[in-house]
Each structure stands twice: as C-alpha cells, then as structure tokens.
Amino acid sequence: MTSQVSSPTEQADGSAVGEQRKPGGTKDVRRLDRVIIRFAGDSGDGMQLTGDRFTSETASFGNDLSTLPNFPAEIRAPAGTLPGVSSFQLHFADHDILTPGDAPNVLVAMNPAALKANIGDLPRGAEIIVNTDEFTKRALQKVGYDASPLDDGSLDAYGLHPVPLTTLTVESLKEFDLSRKEAERSKNMFALGLLSWMYHRPTEGTEKFLRSKFAKKPEIAAANIAAFRAGWNFGETTEDFAVSYEVAPATRAFPTGTYRNIS
C-alpha cells in the first residue's frame, strides 16, 4: 500500500494544542498532537478489519503511527466472554512515535466483555464509546457484572458515550434486502464511520476498499458503505459528540512523498 503525505499547518507540541469552531457549524474542533484508540469486541465483531481500515486512512493522511492487534486463538471462546475479546489499538501523531502506547485515550467497546477486559488500561478522562444494545442482563452476567456499569456510576471518571450501535446500523440499512442478522454485521462499519468523523479521517479509501472486497456481492458492499456513512453522519448530527479532533500530518518526521506500508 502506498500513501501520499500532505503538508499540515504548523502546531506546537502538547496533547491539546488548539481549538476552533467549524466553519458554518456549531461543533468545536480540537487539535491534538497524538491519540491512542482501541477498538474492542467479540472475535466476530470485525475489530481487526475496523482497526486496519482506520490505520490505512490514517497512513494515507500522513500521520506517523504504530499499531497493536490483539486477538484470541483460532479456537474461539464463547461469544461475550472475556477470553473471546479481540482488540486493535492504534497510536497516531503529528510527530515521530515509536510505540502503540499504553493508555488509550479512546475505547470503543462493542459489548460488556470488551469494556471489562480493557477498562483497566484507561486513564481518567478517557472517552468510552459503548454499544448499549449489547448490555443485556445475560451479557452482563457472563462477565461478572452485577449491575450495568453504564448506570451504576463506576464510569463517572470517563467521558462515556452510550450509543445503540446495533440498532442504528439496522435502521440505516432498512432499505436493503438483508435479514437483521446480516444487517447487524455492519455495526463495525458504523463505528468506523463515527470514529472517522471524530478524527477527520479520509473516507474515500475505505469506500473503495469495501467495493473491492465485496465486488462479487454488490448488495453487501453497498450496505457496508451505507453503514459507514451513517456512522459519520451520526457523529456530525448527534448532540452527544460536541467535539471532533484534528491530528495534523507528521511532516517534520516524514517529508511529503510516497511511502510503502509493509506488514
């Protein structure tokens, strides 16, 4: 994969290095020098694909980055359990970085198991985006929660964003001839669209990738693209996300040019 690095606006060092108002909009745009995001869910939730696509768009944007995929053995643990959690962590910045980071600034948790398995790594003030549709009584009991952490105050130290990802995804795909189970599989693309909006990631590459990946199933490709766009639009319109973030390309570390990503 090759990516073209563009020239950024100069900015000072520091975690939060500026804030501005979006032209013609009402939401703030906060400029950061680096971010660590962790996507986490069941092995079948597509967290590796979601992280890979966010990584590819981040690379094409010109940020320096480091990733840490983490997934269980091929013999899967039961769905919704702690041993079955799969995650993908990405550290990206406007300067040269060397590690995928230790403490995520943002956790996307697709179910209670993903939340419980990763909450211990989050610093105070980190943002947590949770798929509230999966926080059922049975799912909570599987991982030892006596009460929902979304309601008992245990997450008050974090910026909690409860989002019914599954419901929103199914609703966005109601015009497609898909079963509910088939539509639910696109919830990772909805989450990717939301995070792409939050961090101003390019979207064209992901849409092109989905058309290519599902070239023999154009209806599935169209559904995934629709879910991806719905996630982006949700971030743009919902009141729960009042701020989006910009991380400028790392031009000091990597001058404008063509780079190759090897895995």
Side-chain angles (χ1 to χ4, degrees), residues 233-251:
N233 290 331
F234 177 77
E236 178 72 9
T237 57
T238 183
E239 295 181 0
D240 191 39
F241 293 90
V243 179
S244 63
Y245 303 91
E246 289 183 346
V247 181
T251 55

Side-chain angles (χ1 to χ4, degrees), residues 31-245:
R31 298 177 65 190
L32 306 175
D33 68 344
R34 67 187 185 93
V35 176
I36 302 171
I37 299 175
R38 184 180 296 176
F39 299 93
D42 266 329
S43 293
D45 284 338
M47 294 296 93
Q48 302 303 317
L49 175 61
T50 304
D52 181 71
R53 289 314 312 158
F54 196 94
T55 298
S56 294
E57 296 305 322
T58 295
S60 67
F61 186 73
N63 296 120
D64 190 24
L65 59 88
S66 180
T67 63
L68 180 63
N70 181 23
F71 41 87
E74 290 185 13
I75 302 175
R76 291 185 184 178
T81 62
L82 293 175
V85 173
S86 172
S87 66
F88 189 106
Q89 183 164 303
L90 166 67
H91 181 190
F92 63 103
D94 67 358
H95 57 275
D96 190 16
I97 57 174
L98 301 175
T99 74
D102 294 319
N105 307 113
V106 182
L107 171 66
V108 180
M110 303 299 280
N111 60 17
L115 176 65
K116 189 164 189 178
N118 293 284
I119 189 67
D121 294 336
L122 303 186
R124 291 177 64 88
E127 292 192 78
I128 304 175
I129 300 170
V130 294
N131 180 14
T132 56
D133 290 322
E134 295 298 321
F135 279 68
T136 63
K137 184 177 181 180
R138 184 168 180 267
L140 291 166
Q141 290 174 341
K142 274 188 179 182
V143 293
Y145 279 126
D146 295 325
S148 174
L150 309 184
D151 304 320
D152 65 5
S154 61
L155 301 178
D156 287 350
Y158 309 99
L160 180 64
H161 301 280
V163 181
L165 286 171
T166 305
T167 298
L168 290 171
T169 301
V170 172
E171 179 66 20
S172 70
L173 301 182
K174 62 183 180 181
E175 65 183 69
F176 293 88
D177 185 23
L178 299 173
S179 67
R180 180 178 177 87
K181 186 175 182 180
E182 289 173 327
E184 287 179 359
R185 290 174 182 163
S186 296
K187 63 182 181 288
N188 65 323
M189 288 298 104
F190 189 101
L192 178 59
L194 173 57
L195 269 293
S196 296
W197 173 84
M198 283 183 66
Y199 292 95
H200 296 213
R201 299 296 89 184
T203 59
E204 296 82 2
T206 292
E207 293 191 11
K208 182 179 179 181
F209 167 84
L210 291 170
R211 291 190 185 96
S212 174
K213 179 177 177 63
F214 299 106
K216 295 182 179 180
K217 299 179 179 179
E219 181 82 355
I220 299 298
N224 277 284
I225 291 171
F228 176 66
R229 292 176 178 175
W232 197 98
N233 290 331
F234 177 77
E236 178 72 9
T237 57
T238 183
E239 295 181 0
D240 191 39
F241 293 90
V243 179
S244 63
Y245 303 91

